[in-house]
Each structure stands twice: as C-alpha cells, then as structure tokens.
Amino acid sequence: MLPEVLLVSAPGKVILHGEHAVVHGKVALAVALNLRTFLRLQPHSNGKVDLNLPNIGIQRAWDVAKLQMLDTSFLKQGDVTALTPEQMEKLKEVAGFPEDCADHEHLAVLSFLYLYLSICQSQRALPSLDVAVWSELPTGAGLGSSAAYSVCLAAALLTACKEIPNPLKDGEAANRWTEESLELINKWAFQGERVIHGNPSGVDNAVSTWGGALRYQQGKISSLKRPPALKILLTNTKVPRSTKALVAGVRSRLLKFPEIMAPLLTSIDAISLECERLLGEMTAAPAPEHYLVLEELIDMNQHHLNALGVGHASLDRLCQVTMAHGLHSKLTGAGGGGCGITLLRPDLERPEVEAMKQALTSCGFDCWETSIGAPGVSVHTAASLDAPVRQALDGL
C-alpha cells in the first residue's frame, strides 16, 4: 500500500457534435471538459474505509475487518463483465442498503465499494483508506460526472494497490499514466459506470481517461490526434429533461417522416466529420478562419437538432443572448433543456464575455468559462492544485 496521499483528477465531457444522430449509427465527437472531479486517497491505520462525497452529501464508513470476513467471491478478481442483478443485490447487502434503494446517490457508494473490493482483492489484507471526492461538475447534467468519479476511483485504487505505477516523479507538479495503465484504468472505470448506469456506452469513461477528443460510432471509440484546446462557455439552463423520452421522440419522428429525418441525420453526420477534419487542421496552426467555420458548424447543427425535435425555449434563449454578443451556441447532450456550449474565439474582449455571462445569469442559467480538449486523468501534488480545489479537499 502506498504510504503517501494520492491526489487524482479527471475531466467531464460534452458532446461537440452528433448527439441523437449517434443513436442511429452516425458519428459523434465527444470532448473532455476542463471542469474536473478531484479525489484524495489517504492510507490510514484506523481499520476503516471512509468515503466522503460532499457534492451529494454522503459520508460512509465501513470496518475493514468486517469487509474482510464477508464472502466477496461473487466479485471475481480481474473479472470485467457486467454485474448480474444477483451480484448487485449482494453488493447492496455489503453496503448495508435496503434492497429497494436505487437512487443515484446510493449507486455512487455501490460503485466505490465494487471497485474497492475488486481492485484491492490482490492485497494480503484490504487496506484502511480515507477517500474524499469533490467535483466542479454539476451532477445529472449530462456532463459525465459519474464517469469522472469512476475514473478517479479506478486510477487511485489501482495506483494505491500498486497494480499500476504512480507516474508522479520528484519535482513534478502533475503527470499522466502510461497508455498501458490508462487501458486498465478505463477498463475498471467502465465497470464502475456499469454499477451506476447499468448499460453505458463507454464513451464518458473513455473521454475522462484519455482526455482530448474522441470519435464514437456504433460502439467503436477512437482518439483524435492532439486536438486543440478550445475555450467555451458552458451554460446549464437547469431545465430538467428525460434523455429516454427525447431519444424516443426522435425515433418516432424518424418513423413518421423517414424521407425528411434520414437526410437530417446524414447531414449531422457530415457536420461531425467536417468538424473532425477541421480540428485535425487546427492542430498545426489554428487560424481565425478555423473559428469562423467552427461557428458555422455549431449554428447548422443547432438548427438540425431543433428540426429533430430536441430543442427547448431555454436553449433558444441561450442562442439569442449569445448571438446578441456575436457568439454561437448549440445544445449539448440530450437537449430539451439541460446544457449548451458557446464557442469563445481567442480574439474576444474580456468585457464582452462578462456582459454575456451576466445576461445569461439573469435568465436564471448557470455559466462556467472553461475549455474543451482538456487532459485526461492525472495525478497531482497538493501544491499544484488551484486554491479553491485545495480548500475544498482540505475541508473534508
């Protein structure tokens, strides 16, 4: 077991282009969002495993000796298949939950226990640990917060149990794991996501592990070579929506108007491919005209998404407000409310951005100035973390 404290972070994600079309076999581009989840793992000797999740108000502790005595043979070591309903029930027993609890917050605890028991089985004895996780990401907004959580847990537990080496060398502020270690982190993070979501696509955990930008099509995930980091404004309209209902709505419109809808989906696919090509060009030398094309693609995709029927008055408002400041926005994810992204060109003046943020806040929206194409899961020294992050973790 590692003697020292581990500090790990992983990014969230947004869909840049291809939401909804991806369900029908088209390309989607998912990018790492530089709003991050931070995890602190501290080995200790009090014979307990503590989990602290302040964002959702959860604090749990288990007796290591009691966990050690439980029959956890139902979690095969190194077994990376989906959990059966029976295994999920057993996990709930271990966690001490009533059988009928399924709310999201309990699932975060189950995911932790599953990863802790599975990964730490290789140790002579289960380790006594204190794990605290704090996030800049809002939960339930389609920004990959649960995947960032699972990725942080997998990376920290694998490193603490010496299944993968700690890449942080003396004198370094932060570092990333090797490709081989990232593969293992991603594999276990996907398992954590399965506990939370049942049948996830694997995109969110892959983006959070590798960072940058990924292309996803019919189950195949590939990384884009060194995409540029683009500044964006992320806006949460805070309008709740059901992803399931929105996906079903697109499907029924496609059945009702196949000749109209199929070309729209093909067109969205072409937007994703053009954006992928453009990001490739921008790797070498981003030019002002690249940003103008990115803005055109954003506008076209937003109109297409409205035609698919997944727009919302709150998203129209977002587009109007940003357009009044000469900027371009689209929904990201399921639509019907939720979040939108606005591209911030490098030539923007500070007062312009502030005025726009103020206008959006007065609509009742939440805004974050951040970037996409962020680095994936990383390990940090305490000194290298921003003061608010340090304060949040120190307060736990």
Side-chain angles (χ1 to χ4, degrees):
M1 201 61 206
L2 292 182
E4 72 269 28
V5 174
L6 263 180
L7 291 167
V8 175
S9 80
K13 75 100 192 23
V14 291
I15 303 288
L16 188 55
H17 291 293
E19 50 277 270
H20 286 287
V22 71
V23 176
H24 302 277
K26 308 300 186 192
V27 169
L29 298 181
V31 288
L33 176 70
N34 211 20
L35 293 178
R36 301 180 80 86
T37 292
F38 296 86
L39 179 148
R40 184 191 63 203
L41 181 149
Q42 277 176 307
H44 55 80
S45 49
N46 66 357
K48 292 210 180 314
V49 186
D50 293 302
L51 177 67
N52 193 352
L53 308 175
N55 299 74
I56 53 176
I58 282 183
Q59 253 184 311
R60 292 292 306 256
W62 296 269
D63 222 326
V64 172
K66 281 195 183 142
L67 290 178
Q68 196 79 52
M69 280 158 55
L70 290 168
D71 174 17
T72 55
S73 59
F74 70 93
L75 302 171
K76 309 277 188 296
Q77 196 176 340
D79 178 27
V80 188
T81 52
L83 281 177
T84 62
E86 297 74 49
Q87 287 174 310
M88 275 297 271
E89 288 312 317
K90 279 220 165 119
L91 202 53
K92 284 181 186 175
E93 275 172 46
V94 172
F97 287 152
E99 274 177 39
D100 55 354
C101 76
D103 71 329
H104 216 67
E105 296 171 2
H106 285 127
L107 294 174
V109 175
L110 289 184
S111 178
F112 165 75
L113 262 187
Y114 169 77
L115 291 171
Y116 169 77
L117 294 170
S118 303
I119 291 170
C120 301
Q121 271 181 7
S122 60
Q123 304 290 294
R124 273 204 315 280
L126 286 174
S128 181
L129 299 174
D130 181 70
V131 175
V133 185
W134 178 81
S135 187
E136 298 172 327
L137 289 161
T139 54
L143 301 173
S145 61
S146 68
Y149 169 71
S150 296
V151 168
C152 282
L153 284 176
L157 291 167
L158 287 165
T159 305
C161 293
K162 303 209 157 109
E163 295 285 322
I164 56 176
N166 184 342
L168 199 60
K169 306 283 178 286
D170 278 350
E172 286 181 334
N175 208 339
R176 312 225 25 237
W177 282 268
T178 61
E179 191 57 36
E180 195 183 349
S181 295
L182 291 175
E183 292 281 355
L184 194 60
I185 290 169
N186 187 52
K187 190 174 92 167
W188 279 111
F190 184 50
Q191 286 300 91
E193 273 281 83
R194 276 170 151 175
V195 172
I196 296 172
H197 289 299
N199 186 24
S201 68
V203 172
D204 289 14
N205 49 280
V207 172
S208 195
T209 301
W210 277 281
L214 299 183
R215 169 204 175 113
Y216 176 76
Q217 188 175 24
Q218 294 180 325
K220 284 196 199 60
I221 299 173
S222 56
S223 270
L224 271 62
K225 296 279 169 283
R226 299 201 327 249
L230 301 172
K231 282 196 174 150
I232 62 153
L233 189 70
L234 174 77
T235 301
N236 186 357
T237 65
K238 299 192 280 195
V239 173
R241 73 267 178 266
S242 156
T243 300
K244 212 185 242 165
L246 288 155
V247 169
V250 173
R251 192 176 295 285
S252 72
R253 198 173 263 201
L254 177 61
L255 291 169
K256 191 174 170 188
F257 304 111
E259 277 76 22
I260 299 169
M261 292 289 282
L264 281 174
L265 295 172
T266 304
S267 194
I268 290 174
D269 193 49
I271 290 172
S272 297
L273 294 174
E274 179 59 21
C275 183
E276 183 182 8
R277 192 194 62 74
L278 196 64
L279 293 175
E281 253 183 38
M282 290 175 78
T283 302
E289 48 273 26
H290 286 135
Y291 287 93
L292 298 176
V293 179
L294 283 175
E295 290 181 330
E296 274 190 86
L297 295 176
I298 284 172
D299 286 345
M300 287 190 284
N301 198 350
Q302 178 60 17
H303 289 305
H304 278 63
L305 288 161
N306 276 328
L308 294 185
V310 297
H312 187 269
S314 61
L315 294 162
D316 293 342
R317 187 85 197 99
L318 163 67
C319 293
Q320 285 159 0
V321 169
T322 56
M323 188 56 86
H325 292 84
L327 294 172
H328 303 254
S329 308
K330 68 176 279 290
L331 68 84
T332 179
C339 292
I341 51 175
T342 307
L343 184 65
L344 300 177
R345 294 185 307 271
D347 62 345
L348 273 180
E349 299 291 335
R350 195 70 239 154
E352 196 62 74
V353 179
E354 287 308 324
M356 180 177 67
K357 279 165 71 175
Q358 213 156 0
L360 290 168
T361 310
S362 65
C363 295
F365 303 157
D366 287 342
C367 299
W368 296 267
E369 230 178 301
T370 181
S371 62
I372 52 178
V377 65
S378 309
V379 60
H380 306 265
T381 58
S384 70
L385 295 177
D386 287 347
V389 177
R390 262 209 316 276
Q391 281 158 3
L393 289 171
D394 288 346
L396 303 176

